[in-house]
Amino acid sequence: MRLLVTGGAGFIGSAVCRRMLGDPNISLICLDKMTYAAIPEAVAEFTAGGRAVVEKVDVADRAEVARVFRAHRPDAVMHLAAETHVDRSIDGPGAFVQTNIVGTYTMLETAREYWRGLDASARAVFRFHHISTDEVYGSLGPTGKFAEGTRYDPVSPYSASKAAADHLASAWHRTYGLPVVISNCSNNYGPYQFPEKLIPLTILNALEGLPLPVYGKGENVRDWLYVEDHAAALETVLRRGRIGEKYNVGGGAERRNIEVVRAICDLVDELAPGPRPRRELIAFVPDRPGHDLRYAIDAGKIQSELGWTPSVSFEQGLRRTVQWYLDHADWWRGIRARLYRGERLGLSPTDAA
Ligand code: NAD
């Protein structure tokens, strides 16, 4: 199978590429604009075997995306490319609209044109897998879970742009018959996550003895999933998901942010002892505007229909992740020096794009 993965140079995309290349029958095209969030080191790992190529292309560039389809003739597409950081979407929503909405539209239109030109047997196996987030559902109160039928109610510019993209993907199936499948996943963590997100930022600040910012009172709840479990779920949905369906993916590991930060402090104390307990570095800071209180996923459909369940507990995954950041200091030190030092983003309630 020739598999086109957009956003394959990012955190989840690179985990997907590593995993899919475990199948010797797969060759892979990674289409990625290589923004600040791309990880050249992760790309170097999965291109080393010679079965993956990188096309440095913007998903919103119709001519270039069409060239990639013509040149590589994919059997399936996994569309992960996106702007992904909620705080950045508050400061500058324009890039989110452009990449997540216009880019998804461009991918769908180009895929549709290409798919219509395939012969009947190739057309029957082609898949367009659109990868999305549970944030499209908005915020939960203290109880309940997001199911596939939960009404969309996005709050941030990021989640609104992803919601729009999901609706486009669904419309391209319902209107044009494009064989689309959609998955919506909870918060991921693990190796190679850009250190602007809660878990890697906290690990690095703890290692460097810097304040550990916790938004509001740290009461916000997320349902955490180890990235390799997400990659396994995505492979399952691509191969066995029913066309036109959507699947929620979650780890069944709800934690309050403050619990996550304290757990990281304790792991860093254990694995890299410092002069004082890292919990003393915790600093409560003004909350994110429009901060969703709680996300929780009902993953019953993917479990019962496709047989996927997470294999890594939150405690195991967090330990692995802290150890991974300890073992890859060269990687993150470069990012902290050149790209992002850990400063607060996303406090502006107005468009600074
Ligand atoms: P990431 O920010 O780590 O990586 C995004 C990748 O997309 C980068 O390699 C970047 O260069 C590329 N990209 C950005 N704009 C592009 C453009 N215009 N054209 C081509 N490539 C572009 O993101 P991630 O955390 O790996 O998330 C991947 C996907 O999974 C996204 O669609 C996201 O919405 C979804 N998702 C993420 C999470 C999470 O917890 N991280 C959870 C659920 C769903």
Side-chain angles (χ1 to χ4, degrees):
M1 171 164 67
R2 285 183 306 274
L3 178 63
L4 173 60
V5 180
T6 76
F11 164 52
I12 300 171
S14 62
V16 167
C17 292
R18 281 195 300 278
R19 178 180 181 91
M20 296 307 286
L21 286 166
D23 176 345
N25 297 315
I26 284 187
S27 62
L28 199 142
I29 308 102
C30 164
L31 186 161
D32 199 295
K33 188 180 174 185
M34 304 302 285
T35 69
Y36 78 96
I39 311 151
E41 294 82 354
V43 173
E45 272 182 33
F46 71 71
T47 48
R51 285 189 290 123
V53 293
V54 178
E55 290 277 8
K56 189 177 173 202
V57 165
D58 184 337
V59 284
D61 182 338
R62 180 83 185 262
E64 273 295 280
V65 171
R67 178 190 63 73
V68 170
F69 272 85
R70 275 198 309 275
H72 299 286
R73 308 204 54 76
D75 301 303
V77 176
M78 297 174 89
H79 175 46
L80 293 100
E83 288 289 341
T84 63
H85 191 37
V86 175
D87 287 339
R88 290 183 194 268
S89 83
I90 294 168
D91 291 335
F96 289 71
V97 171
Q98 180 62 18
T99 288
N100 301 358
I101 304 178
V102 179
T104 298
Y105 156 74
T106 307
M107 286 299 303
L108 289 164
E109 266 302 74
T110 314
R112 178 168 78 96
E113 197 175 280
Y114 165 79
W115 169 73
R116 284 175 54 203
L118 293 174
D119 63 36
S121 59
R123 204 161 48 233
V125 296
F126 185 80
R127 291 287 178 281
F128 188 103
H129 181 179
H130 172 68
I131 283 92
S132 190
T133 166
D134 62 354
E135 301 193 26
V136 297
Y137 299 118
S139 185
L140 289 166
T143 58
K145 290 188 175 186
F146 298 132
E148 284 78 3
T150 302
R151 189 171 70 87
Y152 275 31
D153 186 21
V155 172
S156 72
Y158 164 66
S159 54
S161 69
K162 291 295 293 188
D166 292 15
H167 289 313
L168 291 175
S170 173
W172 258 242
H173 169 65
R174 295 167 72 177
T175 305
Y176 303 114
L178 186 69
V180 170
V181 61
I182 300 175
S183 57
N184 294 75
C185 187
S186 61
N187 282 48
N188 284 215
Y189 67 100
Y192 282 127
Q193 187 167 29
F194 193 85
E196 61 190 356
K197 308 269 167 66
L198 177 69
I199 288 182
L201 180 68
T202 304
I203 295 172
L204 302 195
N205 281 13
L207 286 170
E208 294 189 334
L210 298 170
L212 308 179
V214 174
Y215 292 179
K217 295 185 178 139
E219 294 297 322
N220 306 70
V221 174
R222 300 293 180 259
D223 175 354
W224 293 95
L225 182 66
Y226 192 61
V227 66
E228 287 172 14
D229 274 335
H230 188 194
L234 294 178
E235 176 173 11
T236 304
V237 170
L238 177 76
R239 291 190 191 271
R240 301 210 300 279
R242 282 184 294 138
I243 290 173
E245 292 290 317
K246 80 202 289 281
Y247 295 90
N248 280 355
V249 184
E254 282 183 57
R255 297 287 185 284
R256 289 183 299 139
N257 285 350
I258 187 67
E259 292 178 89
V260 172
V261 170
R262 285 190 187 129
I264 292 171
C265 288
D266 297 348
L267 278 168
V268 174
D269 285 349
E270 180 194 327
L271 298 171
R276 60 186 181 124
R278 269 44 172 238
R279 286 185 182 215
E280 290 178 14
L281 298 170
I282 292 173
F284 293 95
V285 299
D287 208 351
R288 166 189 284 164
H291 202 177
D292 293 333
L293 176 66
R294 177 171 165 263
Y295 305 142
I297 281 275
D298 174 356
K301 180 174 174 182
I302 187 172
Q303 285 173 8
S304 62
E305 205 178 283
L306 306 181
W308 173 88
T309 48
S311 66
V312 180
S313 73
F314 184 67
E315 285 64 36
Q316 289 169 330
L318 197 61
R319 179 174 287 275
R320 278 191 210 173
T321 303
V322 171
Q323 189 62 55
W324 188 90
Y325 279 83
L326 280 169
D327 296 340
H328 293 78
D330 286 350
W331 174 68
W332 57 259
R333 278 193 213 291
I335 289 178
R336 299 269 272 192
R338 284 180 288 107
L339 286 171
Y340 178 62
R341 182 69 225 138
E343 63 277 11
R344 180 72 197 265
L345 301 168
L347 271 180
S348 148
T350 54
D351 182 0

